[in-house]
Amino acid sequence: MPSDISFHKLSDLSAEARAALLLRTEGNLDPYLEKVGPIIAAVEAEGDAALARFAREFDNSPVAPDAIAASERDFDEAFDTLDDEMIEVLTFACDNVRRFHEAQMPEEMWMKEMHPGVFAGDRIVPIDSVACYVPRGKGAFPSVVMMTAIPAVVAGVPEAVIITPPGPDGKVDAATLVTARLAGIERVYKCGGAQGVAAVAYGTETVPRCLKVVGPGSPWVVAAKRLLAGRIDPGVPAGPSEAIILADSTANGRVCALDLLIEAEHGSDSSAYLVTDSAAVAEAARDAIPDFWQEMGEQRVGFSSDVLCGPRGGIVLAETMDDAIAFVNDYAPEHLEIQAKDPHQYLGMIRNAGEILMGEHTPVSIGNFVLGPNAVLPTNAAARTCSPLSVFDFTKRISIGHVTKKGYDHLAPYALKFARYEGFDAHGNALSEMRSQAFAAGRSI
C-alpha cells in the first residue's frame, strides 16, 4: 500500500508554493478544450450518429443511433434488476432531498408597496428546459440523479431530461433509471462526456435541445460547458470532486483520515486536504490512512493515493486555527467538514465553501446521499461567488411593477430629471406633458 502522504507545513511555504496548493485539475483546461472542439462539431453536424460513434469510442458501449433514449422497458427492467433494499434506500434519500428543496422554494410572486400607488416585486417562473448531467465513468451515481432531477421537478421545469454515459452493455445504470423515475423524470438519454453536453446544446434527432445543463463532470465535461456557454447555460461550475477536513486539536485524527478518503476516492483528478493546527491530529491521520486503504478496493486505493500522495492532496499543518481557516477561505472547497468538539465556534469564520458539514457525525457521505441539501456544489474555488445547486437554478425571476396615477405623479418628476441628465429624449418625453396630451388626444378619437 502507498504510504507517502503529502505533508505541507503552511508557515514554511513560499507564496508560490502556497498558491500551488490551491490549484485543481480543472484549473487548466487547455489540453481538453483542444480535443473537445471536434467532438462538439461532430455532434452538431451528425446528431445521433455521432453520439453512437462516441459511445463506442469513449464508453466502449454498443449504442445504436436509434437507441439513444432509454425505453420504458429499460425503466421496468431496472426496477426488476435492482434489489428491494436498494430501492428502499433510494426512496428514503429521494424523500429527504425532495422535502429540503420543497422547503427551499420561494413564493411564486411577491410585491411590495414602495410608495403610495407604487408596487414592485418579483414573479418566479421555471426555466423551460434543463438537462441533468449524471456522470458514470468512475462508477454509477444515482445520488447525482437525486440532486439534479428532484430540484428540477420541484421547481416545475416543463422539460427536464437526464443525460448519462451508457455502460459496456449499452444500457443506463439500473439505479440511475430507478432514481430518475422516483424523482419524476422519464426522459433519459445515453450520451455522456463532451458529446452529451453538445447534444443538449444543439439537439439531435432524439435528444432535445435544452436551455441549461447542470451536474458535475470530468474536465472533458467542464471544457465542453465552457466552449458551449454561448449556446447553453452551463449552470453551477461542478468539476472533479474536492474536500477539506478542517480539524482543531479536539478532533479525532483517525476519524479525520477516514473522512479525508471520501472525496479522494472519486478519481485521480480529485483534491482532498486535512487542514489542522494540531501536529498530533495530523500525525494520527497520516498513520491511519494506510490502515483504511486495507479496507478499500484496488481502484479506489489507486485514486485516493494518487490524490493524497500527489500535488492536490494530503495534510496541511497550520500554526493556528486562524491560519488554517484563512487557507480554507482561500481554497473555497466544494465540501468542507469541520472536525471539532465545538464546530459551531468556527462556522462564522468560514466565508467560502460549497457546503459546511459540522461535527464528527456529519461526514461528506451523509451530505452526498441522504441529508437533504444539494450535493452538486461549486468547484475550482467557484464557491467564492457561487452557491450549491438548488431550486433557484431551475427558476428565474421576472421583475414586475405596477404604478397607479397617484404613484406616477410622485415618481415621474424624479425619472424625468434622470432622463434629461442621461440625454435620453424619448425617456423624458414619455414622462413629460406629452404623456398627458397623448392620453387626451387618444380619448378624443
Side-chain angles (χ1 to χ4, degrees):
M1 290 289 177
S3 59
D4 191 16
I5 308 299
S6 298
F7 184 87
H8 311 276
K9 191 172 181 181
L10 208 53
S11 61
D12 291 347
L13 299 179
S14 66
E16 292 78 11
R18 187 182 188 279
L21 294 185
L22 305 179
L23 299 177
R24 276 74 143 187
T25 307
E26 62 187 293
N28 180 15
L29 290 175
D30 289 347
Y32 300 95
L33 292 170
E34 184 178 344
K35 296 174 183 177
V36 160
I39 296 172
I40 292 172
V43 173
E44 181 185 9
E46 303 170 41
D48 288 346
L51 295 181
R53 185 172 73 253
F54 290 135
R56 293 191 299 271
E57 183 177 342
F58 299 141
D59 303 311
N60 193 28
S61 183
V63 177
D66 61 355
I68 300 296
S71 66
E72 186 174 347
R73 181 179 177 182
D74 290 333
F75 277 92
D76 293 340
E77 286 181 355
F79 274 86
D80 292 338
T81 301
L82 208 61
D83 66 83
D84 291 342
E85 186 177 352
M86 189 60 202
I87 293 176
E88 181 183 355
V89 167
L90 291 173
T91 302
F92 172 82
C94 284
D95 182 60
N96 283 353
V97 173
R98 183 177 292 106
R99 284 191 289 147
F100 176 87
H101 289 87
E102 286 174 346
Q104 192 181 60
M105 273 295 291
E107 294 182 67
E108 185 176 340
M109 187 179 79
W110 67 269
M111 290 190 77
K112 180 178 180 179
E113 190 168 20
M114 311 294 290
H115 298 279
V118 177
F119 301 88
D122 282 328
R123 179 168 171 252
I124 308 299
V125 297
I127 295 172
D128 289 341
S129 58
V130 179
C132 302
Y133 185 89
V134 178
R136 188 173 181 180
K138 297 165 185 168
F141 300 101
S143 58
V144 177
V145 180
M146 292 190 307
M147 298 298 176
T148 55
I150 289 175
V153 172
V154 169
V157 174
E159 187 174 38
V161 305
I162 291 171
I163 55 172
T164 188
D169 58 359
K171 297 181 178 180
V172 176
D173 164 62
T176 293
L177 289 177
V178 168
T179 309
R181 180 166 283 177
L182 291 174
I185 291 183
E186 297 279 340
R187 301 177 69 183
V188 178
Y189 301 98
K190 307 169 191 175
C191 51
Q195 63 271 24
V197 178
V200 291
Y202 289 103
T204 71
E205 298 90 333
T206 301
V207 182
R209 182 187 174 190
C210 295
L211 297 176
K212 187 170 187 174
V213 58
V214 301
S218 68
W220 294 87
V221 172
V222 177
K225 287 181 178 181
R226 182 174 295 182
L227 285 180
L228 289 164
R231 180 79 182 179
I232 188 170
D233 183 337
V236 174
S241 300
E242 55 187 60
I244 284 182
I245 312 299
L246 174 67
D248 68 11
S249 60
T250 67
N252 182 312
R254 290 186 68 84
V255 173
C256 291
L258 202 59
D259 290 1
L260 183 62
L261 289 162
I262 294 171
E263 291 303 292
E265 75 168 341
H266 267 281
S268 299
D269 54 3
S270 297
S271 305
Y273 290 105
L274 167 62
V275 181
T276 180
D277 68 338
S278 169
V281 169
E283 194 61 34
R286 194 180 193 179
D287 291 344
I289 290 170
D291 295 341
F292 296 137
W293 272 330
Q294 299 285 344
E295 305 300 321
M296 295 167 58
E298 182 179 351
Q299 183 188 50
R300 300 302 171 182
V301 171
F303 287 156
S304 58
S305 62
D306 285 347
V307 173
L308 298 180
C309 300
R312 292 185 302 276
I315 296 171
V316 176
L317 181 62
E319 289 192 340
T320 68
M321 280 301 287
D322 285 344
D323 292 339
I325 290 169
F327 179 83
V328 169
N329 282 323
D330 286 344
Y331 193 90
E334 176 189 21
H335 304 274
L336 174 65
E337 274 190 35
I338 302 179
Q339 288 282 356
K341 292 297 181 186
D342 179 17
H344 291 83
Q345 67 179 303
Y346 304 116
L347 180 59
M349 303 169 71
I350 304 299
R351 301 188 315 279
N352 301 324
E355 72 174 357
I356 302 172
L357 302 172
M358 297 188 295
E360 59 189 12
H361 301 302
T362 320
V364 171
S365 311
I366 291 287
N368 277 348
F369 301 134
V370 295
L371 186 61
N374 211 290
V376 176
L377 307 164
T379 60
N380 195 30
R384 289 178 294 190
T385 59
C386 296
S387 305
L389 192 70
S390 70
V391 294
F392 306 112
D393 292 285
F394 298 93
T395 59
K396 57 193 179 75
R397 292 176 294 107
I398 301 174
S399 296
I400 52 178
H402 174 67
V403 180
T404 66
K405 177 64 167 65
K406 181 179 180 180
Y408 173 83
D409 289 343
H410 178 61
L411 295 186
Y414 293 96
L416 177 59
K417 184 72 173 177
F418 238 120
R420 298 295 190 227
Y421 182 84
E422 293 195 351
F424 287 112
D425 295 336
H427 282 63
N429 292 343
L431 300 164
S432 70
E433 278 301 309
M434 294 174 64
R435 189 174 200 85
S436 299
Q437 294 166 4
F439 273 122
R443 293 189 187 102
S444 64
I445 294 174

